[in-house]
Amino acid sequence: MKMTRLRLVFSTLQVVVSIFLLVSCCPASLAAGEFDPYTVLGVGKSATQAEVKKVYKKLAREWHPDKNKSPGAEDMFIKITKSYELLSNEEKRANYDRYGETAENQGYAQQQRQQFQHFHDSFYFDESFFHYQFNKGSKDFADTKYMLHFSQYMNDVVPDSFKKPYLIKITSDWCFSCIHIEPVWKEVVQELEALGMGIGVVDVGYERRLANHLGAHRTPSILGLINGKVTFFHYAVVREHLRQFVENLLPARLVEKVTDQNYMQFLNSWHEENKPHVLLFDQVPVVPLLYKLTAFAYKDYVRFGYVDQGLVETEALLQQYKINTYAPTMLLFKESTDKPVDIIQARGMKKQIIDEFVSNNKFLLVPRLVNQKLFEELCPVKQFHRRRKYCVLLVTSGEDSFTNGNEEFLSFAASNTKEIFRFAYVYQKQQQALCDVLLKDKESVPSQVLILERRNTAGKVSYKAVPGGWNGSEEEKFQLQEQLELLQKDPAFLTSVAVLPELNNEFASMFLLQWIYAAYDYVSQIGDDLLHNNWREMMPLLSLIFSALFILFGTVVIQAFSDSSDEKQTKPKTKEGPQNNSENDSPNASTSSRAPKKSFVEVTELTDITYTSNLVRLRPGHMNVVLVLTDAAKNALLSKFAKEVYSFTGSLTLHFSFLNLDKHKEWMESLLEFAQDAVQIDSDEDDSQHKADYTGYVLALNGHKKYLCLFKPVYTGEDLHMDSSSSSRASSSSRDEAATRKKTASSSLQIHHKLDRLGLWMERLLEGTLPRYYIPSWPGLDKITTSK
């Protein structure tokens, strides 16, 4: 009886809780039901941004008050516009999908959500039912402040990861294990965020797309993001492990250890690296994480070195710069290594102090323009008259003989107190395109000073060259100072205008080293994933590797079997009828059946037996390439013909034959009578004493479309530079020379050279660029019949 009552009480309690949950969620849904953007636009919740935009444009044209004069058009147009504004914004759309929030009911829905959360937090349960206070710390601390959305991650977090690393936690509402790591996570976040670390939280229940993009398939998960690359945390969630994980994310060469032996080498590298150098003095043997994060944030501008004050090897360095060992100290050096240009010293070194210290000294007094990014930051585009920035540029060859001029230019820049002037120099050899534009009207001088102002981001500048060259004399300094004073009084002083090309990246040669470092980091990450059995994250890479190996192995096996089958292939029976193959004259010939690619060239004689199959009824798209020869020139011409056309035997649409003039000259003459254009030159050459010699001619015959392409022999035995006469047009002088050569071409060597240009002619045949001579019909079978 008592058990029955307990069950009844428990069931009643479940019903009451369910009703309360439904009632708590309903007001927001009812408020949202008054305005449903999906219904207004007529799209589903899975519609993409492109689909929403397309529907919006269509409805906006239809309901625009200027075109639609119905009474409710204006109200409908306002609803359409509001619906598009809500659905086109990823964050607003996500809030509406989760909570039914719009611009009108956002406050009310948030209040209802807080009331529900208060009720929700009063219950304690997990896998063992009522035990833990469900997800209270997560909602109060991390979810509201550090929550990431997909668009925010792609547009803001990933680009920002090149300046500071991010620590991201993957969680969900029904993740009971997330509650256990929450105290440690909260402590670590508060510590790392103060040092400059980025923090993010991804709720899988609401941002499944982002979680899949990151490769996170379980909760809780912690990952690091740096330079756009994701690395997973695999150890126990304790404070020391998380700090070490963050330090391992950072590149190992950010901060250099400096001692008495190498500090001069470190400071003197400012000219090579084109950066100011910072020395960090502290008493801890390991570089503090704050310094590492600062070095990563300013790695493109400043070089950082660390001095351990507790080492004996640094005592001389401490004495030289009079460092107080009781507080951390930062010294910043530019062109001068004897004395720092700025210094800070404080017991509690804060990130804000360091950022301000470094950002105010990002550039040298006179930096070298080594890439477009530095040029744009050093000489910004003009925005307002009071915020003008002028760039005083020294163009020099960079040779040792002009070092004195560079030093005097540096001393002039150091004495300048005007904020509107920025000084820089450029090596003419490294930035030749830039110097050619600026010095196009100037005489050749070793060094030249120019004053310029960038007008827009497209490269347009106004500039003026200081008269004369630059050697650093007092007179030249006075003249430059006078020019700058005139510019301050009259901005129109810069009379020349030009469009500058983009600067070359002089550090591009270091790309190979950067690639090696990136490859090393990537291999290390793969080893780490394999070590910790992170198979789900490794699955795409492993799939790619095994697919490549399978394709490679399959290709090798197929090739091996293909080679073995070719070696064992037997010779088939010869076709019926008299067929003369090039095996009679060429050692590489064979009577094997035709294949896409052979080790020989199969050449069939064109006779009355093969006439119909090889020409008249040739399949559409196929062509028969016919060599015209005589018995006397047969051996030499067939051998040369096989060598010239061998590389084209892979084509399935080409067939090769030869025609014996001693047997079928009547057919040849009948064919050329039909193609008068092709034979026009030869008919002019025929007279009563000399008949046309067709030996060495090659005909490409298309049996289906009834046209031919003609190759005429080229004698290269005497003149190897003679052009091919594949065209039917030639001058009268060329005909005379050809006739003369025909009379003297009796040796086998001259006959052999008739086909020297046949390979080029075949390429043009396949390209379709040869002239075509159409005929009404092929000569009759009686013309090919051997005369008895």
Side-chain angles (χ1 to χ4, degrees):
M1 189 68 178
K2 292 182 179 180
M3 292 297 297
T4 305
R5 290 180 180 178
L6 288 175
R7 289 178 182 175
L8 181 60
V9 171
F10 183 72
S11 301
T12 305
L13 179 61
Q14 284 184 324
V15 172
V16 171
V17 171
S18 301
I19 294 174
F20 187 86
L21 292 176
L22 291 175
V23 171
S24 300
C25 297
C26 284
S29 302
L30 292 174
E34 299 175 358
F35 173 73
D36 185 1
Y38 294 103
T39 304
V40 173
L41 295 181
V43 297
K45 290 191 176 182
S46 60
T48 62
Q49 291 291 343
E51 295 173 349
V52 171
K53 186 175 182 180
K54 182 178 180 181
V55 173
Y56 165 71
K57 288 184 177 180
K58 180 181 178 181
L59 294 177
R61 287 194 298 266
E62 179 182 353
W63 291 96
H64 197 280
D66 294 342
K67 296 182 178 180
N68 194 326
K69 301 302 181 181
S70 60
E74 185 175 356
D75 295 337
M76 186 62 182
F77 182 77
I78 294 175
K79 289 183 179 181
I80 293 172
T81 304
K82 289 183 177 180
S83 301
Y84 176 71
E85 289 177 355
L86 191 151
L87 297 183
S88 60
N89 187 296
E90 292 286 350
E91 186 174 355
K92 293 181 179 179
R93 183 174 180 177
N95 289 336
Y96 178 81
D97 292 341
R98 296 177 199 167
Y99 317 118
E101 291 183 4
T102 61
E104 291 80 5
N105 67 355
Q106 185 173 5
Y108 177 75
Q110 185 175 3
Q111 180 182 2
Q112 294 296 326
R113 210 164 51 248
Q114 291 176 353
Q115 293 177 1
F116 171 72
Q117 181 63 35
H118 176 72
F119 169 79
H120 177 269
D121 290 341
S122 62
F123 284 87
Y124 299 82
F125 58 94
D126 69 349
E127 296 96 331
S128 60
F129 202 56
F130 304 112
H131 185 67
Y132 288 108
Q133 192 170 4
F134 179 73
N135 230 359
K136 178 179 180 180
S138 176
K139 291 297 182 183
D140 291 343
F141 170 67
D143 290 357
T144 56
K145 183 177 180 181
Y146 304 106
M147 188 69 69
L148 294 180
H149 306 293
F150 184 82
S151 59
Q152 178 189 2
Y153 173 81
M154 298 300 296
N155 299 328
D156 300 332
V157 175
V158 173
D160 197 36
S161 68
F162 289 86
K163 296 180 181 179
K164 65 178 180 181
Y166 274 79
L167 194 65
I168 301 175
K169 182 184 71 170
I170 310 298
T171 184
S172 67
D173 286 342
W174 298 97
C175 171
F176 304 110
S177 300
C178 299
I179 303 172
H180 298 282
I181 69 171
E182 197 62 35
V184 179
W185 170 258
K186 181 177 180 179
E187 180 185 1
V188 172
V189 165
Q190 290 176 342
E191 177 186 359
L192 295 181
E193 189 177 22
L195 301 179
M197 190 78 180
I199 306 297
V201 175
V202 177
D203 193 324
V204 178
Y206 302 129
E207 290 294 337
R208 172 66 65 179
R209 179 185 178 188
L210 178 54
N212 292 336
H213 178 79
L214 294 173
H217 304 287
R218 60 175 180 266
T219 56
S221 294
I222 296 178
L223 55 91
L225 176 69
I226 186 171
N227 292 332
K229 186 183 71 172
V230 175
T231 304
F232 279 84
F233 175 77
H234 302 288
Y235 302 95
V237 183
V238 295
R239 176 178 174 274
E240 292 75 14
H241 290 172
L242 286 172
R243 279 183 60 91
Q244 188 61 42
F245 173 69
V246 171
E247 293 196 9
N248 293 338
L249 288 177
L250 297 170
R253 295 160 292 275
L254 278 176
V255 182
E256 181 179 348
K257 290 293 185 67
V258 179
T259 61
D260 295 339
Q261 288 73 29
N262 66 342
Y263 83 95
M264 286 305 300
Q265 180 182 359
F266 173 77
L267 295 179
N268 286 328
S269 62
W270 67 267
H271 185 269
E272 179 183 355
E273 298 181 359
N274 198 41
K275 297 177 181 178
H277 284 57
V278 173
L279 282 179
L280 313 169
F281 294 84
D282 209 337
Q283 294 182 344
V284 293
V286 181
V287 182
L289 182 58
L290 173 62
Y291 296 156
K292 289 185 177 181
L293 292 172
T294 303
F296 180 76
Y298 295 96
K299 62 182 181 299
D300 295 333
Y301 303 97
V302 181
R303 184 79 168 106
F304 287 81
Y306 181 73
V307 181
D308 183 4
Q309 299 176 2
L311 297 178
V312 180
E313 294 83 359
T314 61
E315 290 181 354
L317 191 57
L318 299 177
Q319 294 176 1
Q320 179 177 350
Y321 295 109
K322 300 178 181 180
I323 301 299
N324 182 1
T325 58
Y326 296 100
T329 306
M330 297 183 68
L331 304 181
L332 191 139
F333 297 84
K334 292 189 177 180
E335 284 85 352
S336 176
T337 59
D338 299 330
K339 183 179 179 182
V341 296
D342 203 352
I343 180 173
I344 58 172
Q345 190 174 45
R347 289 186 179 274
M349 195 75 73
K350 301 295 183 181
K351 176 174 172 52
Q352 292 77 7
I353 299 176
I354 299 178
D355 286 343
E356 183 179 358
F357 175 76
V358 178
S359 60
N360 292 335
N361 298 279
K362 290 197 305 183
F363 305 110
L364 298 170
L365 291 176
V366 184
R368 185 173 81 254
L369 298 184
V370 294
N371 52 47
Q372 186 67 24
K373 178 182 177 182
L374 178 60
F375 179 44
E376 292 175 354
E377 293 190 25
L378 193 66
C379 305
V381 176
K382 182 195 75 171
Q383 296 179 349
F384 306 101
H385 178 72
R386 295 182 179 180
R387 299 177 63 181
R388 287 176 179 266
K389 296 292 183 182
Y390 298 102
C391 194
V392 183
L393 184 64
L394 171 64
V395 179
T396 179
S397 61
E399 299 178 1
D400 296 338
S401 57
F402 303 109
T403 303
N404 183 55
N406 295 351
E407 292 179 352
E408 294 298 330
F409 187 74
L410 174 60
S411 65
F412 180 86
S415 63
N416 174 68
T417 58
K418 304 293 185 181
E419 289 291 334
I420 63 173
F421 295 115
R422 301 283 181 85
F423 293 84
Y425 71 99
V426 62
Y427 285 151
Q428 187 170 357
K429 293 182 180 179
Q430 278 76 9
Q431 305 293 343
Q432 190 64 48
L434 173 72
C435 297
D436 289 343
V437 174
L438 295 176
L439 303 178
K440 59 182 178 180
D441 299 330
K442 304 299 175 186
E443 298 180 358
S444 177
V445 292
S447 298
Q448 178 70 53
V449 176
L450 303 103
I451 308 171
L452 59 88
E453 179 187 23
R454 294 181 63 223
R455 306 304 297 269
N456 57 34
T457 56
K460 183 180 180 181
V461 296
S462 300
Y463 71 98
K464 182 178 179 62
V466 178
W470 176 266
N471 293 319
S473 63
E474 294 298 327
E475 181 181 353
E476 290 171 341
K477 290 182 179 179
F478 178 78
Q479 185 179 14
L480 177 57
Q481 183 64 36
E482 188 179 35
Q483 297 279 332
L484 297 179
E485 291 176 357
L486 292 175
L487 179 60
Q488 294 181 74
K489 297 177 182 179
D490 183 14
F493 177 75
L494 304 178
T495 56
S496 302
V497 179
V499 177
L500 301 182
E502 185 171 343
L503 272 68
N504 298 327
N505 187 1
E506 297 182 15
F507 292 152
S509 58
M510 300 174 63
F511 171 77
L512 180 60
L513 293 177
Q514 296 175 0
W515 185 87
I516 293 175
Y517 293 148
Y520 173 78
D521 294 338
Y522 191 67
V523 172
S524 301
Q525 180 185 358
I526 293 176
D528 188 59
D529 290 338
L530 290 175
L531 180 63
H532 294 89
N533 298 324
N534 193 8
W535 296 108
R536 298 195 69 169
E537 286 77 10
M538 288 294 299
M539 193 58 66
L541 179 62
L542 293 176
S543 176
L544 178 63
I545 293 176
F546 283 111
S547 299
L549 292 177
F550 177 78
I551 295 173
L552 180 62
F553 179 75
T555 303
V556 172
V557 171
I558 293 174
Q559 185 66 30
F561 278 102
S562 299
D563 295 341
S564 61
S565 61
D566 290 343
E567 292 176 359
K568 297 180 181 179
Q569 186 176 8
T570 57
K571 296 182 180 180
K573 296 181 179 180
T574 310
K575 294 181 180 180
E576 293 183 357
Q579 291 184 353
N580 292 329
N581 296 341
S582 60
E583 68 176 22
N584 301 328
D585 308 298
S586 176
N588 297 328
S590 175
T591 58
S592 173
S593 60
R594 193 178 186 285
K597 185 71 174 179
K598 305 177 183 178
S599 59
F600 61 92
V601 181
E602 181 181 351
V603 184
T604 306
E605 183 177 2
L606 191 64
T607 64
D608 53 347
I609 298 176
T610 60
Y611 181 73
T612 301
S613 60
N614 286 4
L615 179 60
V616 177
R617 295 183 180 179
L618 202 62
R619 285 179 293 176
H622 287 239
M623 298 190 73
N624 195 354
V625 181
V626 182
L627 169 66
V628 181
L629 50 77
T630 60
D631 289 333
K634 181 177 181 180
N635 293 339
L637 287 181
L638 273 179
S639 177
K640 181 67 174 179
F641 181 72
K643 292 179 181 179
E644 292 291 331
V645 303
Y646 174 74
S647 59
F648 302 94
T649 56
S651 175
L652 298 177
T653 60
L654 292 181
H655 309 269
F656 302 98
S657 304
F658 70 89
L659 180 72
N660 195 329
L661 281 177
D662 296 337
K663 301 178 182 179
H664 312 295
K665 187 174 183 179
E666 184 179 356
W667 182 88
M668 181 70 179
E669 293 176 347
S670 300
L671 176 67
L672 295 181
E673 285 180 4
F674 286 135
Q676 291 297 327
D677 293 338
V679 80
Q680 180 179 1
I681 299 174
D682 299 277
S683 62
D684 294 340
E685 296 174 354
D686 294 341
D687 51 27
S688 59
Q689 297 178 354
H690 302 94
K691 294 184 178 180
D693 182 13
Y694 300 118
T695 305
Y697 277 46
V698 178
L699 306 171
L701 308 177
N702 190 313
H704 179 71
K705 293 188 176 181
K706 295 185 178 60
Y707 70 81
L708 63 93
C709 299
L710 180 63
F711 170 83
K712 297 181 181 180
V714 177
Y715 290 86
T716 58
E718 298 176 0
D719 183 9
L720 295 176
H721 299 288
M722 184 72 179
D723 292 337
S724 174
S725 56
S726 58
S727 175
S728 63
R729 310 299 182 187
S731 63
S732 59
S733 60
S734 299
R735 293 197 301 269
D736 296 339
E737 294 176 3
T740 304
R741 287 192 180 91
K742 289 179 183 179
K743 295 178 182 179
T744 59
S746 58
S747 66
S748 62
L749 179 63
Q750 291 172 326
I751 294 175
H752 174 79
H753 283 295
K754 284 188 174 185
L755 303 179
D756 277 350
R757 302 296 175 84
L758 181 59
L760 299 176
W761 183 82
M762 289 291 297
E763 291 182 1
R764 294 185 60 192
L765 175 66
L766 295 180
E767 293 173 358
T769 57
L770 290 175
R772 299 177 179 180
Y773 306 104
Y774 288 88
I775 62 176
S777 61
W778 298 111
L781 187 61
D782 57 325
K783 301 295 183 181
I784 197 68
T785 305
T786 305
S787 57
K788 299 180 181 179

